[in-house]
Amino acid sequence: MLSDLWYRGVSKSYPNQVPGVYRDKFSSRAQRLEPGGKDMEKKRLYLERYMISQFRTAGAPFLEGYSTTQIYFAAQHYGLQTRLLDWSTNPLAALFFACKDDSAEDGFVYAMDAGKIIPGNAEVRKDVKLYQTVMTMRNKYVEDAIGLSFWDEPAEKRNPYILPVRPDDAPGRIGQQSSCFTLHMHEAPSATNPTMTTIQVDASSKEPILEELHRVNINQFTTYYDLDHLSKEIVAGWGC
């Protein structure tokens, strides 16, 4: 059975755990857009649409056969700001991310029952309950929420929430990191998860923890699983 207990590791303290579309640099650029007027949420959506359209058009040779949802997850994978926030079902992967950077600052690991990010009284629309459950990439709620970022207005109006989404398992980074995501829908209210637990990792413990993780084969190559990080792991291993 797939786990609904998810973890997220960060190497230093951040005021909020939010995806790229809601971070300061993206919001600052969105602020300067004319479309959207004074509505920052609309401005973010316009900037996201412009950027994802460029990714889809210029990246077409690499995205042949991809659905809209798969293109969106690929954009997140390759560093474009999206509404997806990374989580993992593997606590050791989260611990690796909490320790690998910012050696002078404390890291943090967050853990939660993912389904509980959806409020207990959530409704798809009036009198239609939205259950507290992890969704797949093919769930219509997820597909329509992502479609909005591609200028596709959904045929059915649904209330916006932060949704827990488990992507299709695939060779590469998503599989290696046991990746899952929260999808922060356009106009979704902020959410609190009553199951959320925070574990602080002291800065002085980061290096010893990384050494112990390396002993159980958790390192930058096994985490990212590409040739770039394989080379970096070999170089680091030989102290070159």
Side-chain angles (χ1 to χ4, degrees), residues 2-237:
L2 299 175
S3 176
D4 287 349
L5 182 56
W6 291 6
Y7 307 88
R8 174 173 171 80
V10 294
S11 59
K12 63 180 181 180
S13 177
Y14 293 94
N16 298 294
Q17 296 300 308
V18 293
V21 163
Y22 289 98
R23 292 177 188 168
D24 290 343
K25 189 173 183 178
F26 188 93
S27 296
S28 177
R29 182 62 186 90
Q31 178 69 53
R32 303 199 301 273
L33 291 180
E34 183 177 343
K38 296 182 179 180
D39 188 330
M40 269 305 298
E41 185 69 0
K42 288 183 179 177
K43 284 179 175 290
R44 290 190 188 97
L45 179 60
Y46 274 112
L47 179 56
E48 181 190 16
R49 284 171 164 176
Y50 295 146
M51 293 175 66
I52 200 72
S53 292
Q54 291 181 347
F55 180 84
R56 185 183 199 178
T57 301
F62 307 100
L63 300 169
E64 186 176 355
Y66 280 42
S67 68
T68 297
T69 303
Q70 288 171 325
I71 291 171
Y72 197 75
F73 276 82
Q76 166 74 11
H77 175 84
Y78 287 106
L80 207 67
Q81 291 98 326
T82 71
R83 297 175 180 276
L84 297 170
L85 184 67
D86 296 86
W87 293 80
S88 174
T89 57
N90 184 344
L92 296 184
L95 184 58
F96 174 81
F97 284 113
C99 295
K100 81 179 189 73
D101 293 317
D102 302 300
S103 59
E105 300 195 49
D106 292 351
F108 296 86
V109 174
Y110 301 98
M112 68 173 181
D113 180 338
K116 298 299 192 298
I117 195 71
I118 299 173
N121 62 351
E123 293 183 322
V124 177
R125 54 188 175 275
K126 185 173 175 57
D127 298 326
V128 179
K129 182 175 178 57
L130 176 63
Y131 291 96
Q132 293 177 303
T133 185
V134 174
M135 301 180 180
T136 71
M137 293 169 63
R138 287 172 298 284
N139 186 292
K140 194 61 177 173
Y141 221 119
V142 174
E143 289 183 338
D144 282 355
I146 289 174
L148 192 64
S149 300
F150 289 82
W151 304 88
D152 295 333
E153 295 292 336
E156 180 182 347
K157 179 69 174 177
R158 295 179 177 87
N159 291 325
Y161 294 102
I162 298 173
L163 306 176
V165 182
R166 192 190 313 276
D168 292 347
D169 198 3
R173 190 177 300 184
I174 285 180
Q176 290 297 118
Q177 295 178 11
S178 303
S179 295
C180 297
F181 301 88
T182 44
L183 171 61
H184 298 237
M185 292 178 65
H186 175 61
E187 296 185 332
S190 58
T192 57
N193 188 327
T195 69
M196 183 72 73
T197 299
T198 303
I199 303 166
Q200 188 166 341
V201 180
D202 188 85
S204 63
S205 300
K206 284 186 172 183
E207 189 60 35
I209 289 173
L210 286 173
E211 291 175 1
E212 289 300 313
L213 288 173
H214 196 277
R215 290 166 62 90
V216 293
N217 205 33
I218 303 293
N219 55 58
Q220 56 187 327
F221 171 56
T222 59
T223 300
Y224 291 101
Y225 208 60
D226 56 31
L227 291 176
D228 180 41
H229 288 90
L230 172 59
S231 297
K232 290 178 180 178
E233 185 62 30
I234 293 171
V235 169

